[in-house]
Amino acid sequence: MTDEKKVLFSGMQPSGYVTLGNYLGALNNWTTLQYDYNSIFCIVDMHALTVRQDPAKLRKAARDVLMQYLAVGLDPEKNIIYFQSHVPQHAELSWILNCYTYMGELNRMTQFKEKSQKHADNINAGLFTYPVLMAADILLYQTELVPVGEDQIQHLEITRDIATRFNGIYGDVFTMPEAYIGKTGARVMALQDPTKKMSKSDENANNTIAILDDPKQIINKFKRAVTDSGNEIIYSDDKPGIKNLLSIYCAVTGKTIKEAEKEFENSGYGDFKIAVGEAVVAKIEPIQKKFEEYQKNKDYIDEIIKTGAEKAERIAEKTMRKVRRKIGYPDKIR
Ligand code: TRP
């Protein structure tokens, strides 16, 4: 990593599958950002524990997400790619920051409110302090930019509040991070209900496309996608179904909305939906091929996992040494 570039940090939970929404909204943008920033891409397996997980599934999902990071084109030489749980400094800083975060602040988090409704039988303390762990993720690496979706802006704001409070007491320990809101990131909506976001935790499998879905299945899901009344293929808020399909089409082909509208001027909804499905498959198939190669190459992936954790830990430990001293932990005798 060179020093002139800004530090960029982002993370994704290894729960369920990586969806087309995750890909077009985040991962695909990261593949361009990696050239302009010192980027750190984390797989936040500790955050995943805030809902009950099957251990074998979690272990596999975490590794699969890492291989998908690589398959979409994130370069492990250029970036730091690692599992959050491999760097214990995340847990350590998270505890400390808990003591500099108010219950009232956490009570206001909309994601906490939503998730506690959804998991009413398991409103655990981790779910409540989730944003503090996220703050630790970001602050450990002296991050300047955090590419996040709209739904994470509130978490970034609390991170800034915690950093400001901590720096106010102890001097400049943490770099102040900023949200990086990509201009190109497509917001992909559920195929059967285009008024809500495509989500990996959706119970209806027809709503989501996983980037590892079988191509035939992908085409079928697009064939079944909900459209709107009328028959024109135009980008308009009164046509949420067509609007979603057009923006997916443009995101995977690189075409503009205007170009796409023109291209489908004389097409019916049926043909259009198949064309979108095929364009998605064309974009995703090479990623699937790479993923399959990585699956066969255990040693190579193990090596990336090992070096990723080492590189991350070196930076995280540097921040922690400062933090431990500042807050008054006794010096460790070595
Ligand atoms: N909370 C984020 C999400 O659900 C994931 C995440 C955890 C994250 N730690 C982060 C994102 C640090 C950016 C930076 O999308």
Side-chain angles (χ1 to χ4, degrees):
M1 298 216 301
T2 48
D3 285 330
E4 316 85 65
K5 291 182 182 172
K6 290 190 170 177
V7 178
L8 178 137
F9 184 102
S10 202
M12 194 174 279
Q13 284 204 46
S15 43
Y17 305 100
V18 177
T19 67
L20 186 65
N22 299 135
Y23 175 57
L24 296 177
L27 282 182
N28 197 31
N29 302 331
W30 298 357
T31 62
T32 18
L33 294 171
Q34 68 178 334
Y35 299 104
D36 297 329
Y37 300 98
N38 280 333
S39 307
I40 306 173
F41 299 115
C42 186
I43 291 131
V44 293
D45 47 2
M46 293 166 68
H47 278 106
L49 287 188
T50 54
V51 299
R52 201 63 76 228
Q53 302 285 345
D54 175 276
K57 281 193 192 143
L58 177 60
R59 195 169 358 258
K60 179 174 186 305
R63 204 174 159 103
D64 283 355
V65 171
L66 184 128
M67 290 191 289
Q68 287 172 86
Y69 276 15
L70 302 176
V72 301
L74 296 180
D75 181 348
E77 306 275 326
K78 211 180 267 308
N79 311 295
I80 300 179
I81 296 175
Y82 75 106
F83 297 123
Q84 187 184 29
S85 65
H86 285 188
V87 178
Q89 285 81 354
H90 287 260
E92 187 184 0
L93 183 59
S94 179
W95 168 256
I96 295 168
L97 297 183
N98 267 322
C99 303
Y100 297 81
T101 307
Y102 297 112
M103 301 281 286
E105 290 177 297
L106 292 172
N107 263 323
R108 286 198 291 275
M109 296 292 118
T110 50
Q111 184 170 301
F112 170 68
K113 290 182 210 165
E114 276 164 26
K115 287 200 179 170
S116 13
Q117 265 168 13
K118 204 163 154 201
H119 305 280
D121 55 339
N122 183 20
I123 306 177
N124 60 71
L127 198 61
F128 188 61
T129 59
Y130 179 114
V132 183
L133 177 57
M134 181 160 160
D137 299 343
I138 295 167
L139 299 176
L140 267 180
Y141 299 92
Q142 307 294 345
T143 303
E144 292 163 275
L145 290 167
V146 187
V148 284
E150 299 273 348
D151 59 327
Q152 296 298 313
I153 296 289
Q154 204 184 23
H155 289 163
L156 198 69
E157 248 135 47
I158 196 175
T159 300
R160 290 167 57 88
D161 291 342
I162 296 169
T164 305
R165 183 171 307 134
F166 198 94
N167 284 350
I169 306 172
Y170 301 108
D172 284 341
V173 179
F174 299 124
T175 302
M176 199 55 62
E178 268 171 43
Y180 176 98
I181 303 171
K183 303 134 216 115
T184 50
R187 189 171 149 87
V188 179
M189 312 305 277
L191 296 183
Q192 298 294 318
D193 178 1
T195 58
K196 68 172 198 196
K197 212 175 125 174
M198 183 180 284
S199 155
K200 44 178 135 195
S201 51
D202 205 309
E203 310 86 44
N204 181 354
N206 282 326
N207 266 332
T208 56
I209 303 282
I211 63 171
L212 296 178
D213 271 350
D214 173 62
K216 280 199 208 77
Q217 208 182 334
I218 294 178
I219 306 271
N220 277 330
K221 285 188 192 177
F222 276 103
K223 278 189 190 161
R224 263 181 247 137
V226 162
T227 44
D228 313 284
S229 56
N231 52 18
E232 272 182 312
I233 295 161
I234 46 167
Y235 191 84
S236 150
D237 284 340
D238 347 311
K239 288 177 161 261
I242 295 297
K243 182 179 164 187
N244 186 35
L245 294 172
L246 271 172
S247 57
I248 292 173
Y249 182 77
C250 291
V252 295
T253 57
K255 291 179 185 166
T256 65
I257 297 285
K258 283 244 157 352
E259 286 165 349
E261 283 175 340
K262 183 111 191 61
E263 184 177 347
F264 295 106
E265 214 169 28
N266 301 312
S267 310
Y269 282 170
D271 289 341
F272 171 58
K273 289 198 281 184
I274 293 172
V276 178
E278 283 170 352
V280 168
V281 168
K283 179 85 180 172
I284 276 178
E285 260 181 338
I287 298 174
Q288 297 189 345
K289 293 239 158 58
K290 287 213 191 92
F291 181 83
E292 281 158 25
E293 278 166 35
Y294 292 135
Q295 267 182 319
K296 288 182 222 142
N297 217 335
K298 184 175 180 298
D299 294 347
Y300 174 70
I301 299 298
D302 283 350
E303 188 57 35
I304 288 172
I305 292 174
K306 180 167 171 272
T307 18
E310 284 167 1
K311 287 196 273 183
E313 179 155 3
R314 215 168 301 135
I315 304 172
E317 179 57 19
K318 199 169 153 205
T319 299
M320 281 318 298
R321 272 200 295 268
K322 224 186 218 176
V323 169
R324 292 183 201 115
R325 246 222 81 83
K326 291 281 187 186
I327 59 175
Y329 279 175
D331 291 332
K332 201 166 175 183
I333 312 298
R334 292 171 198 277

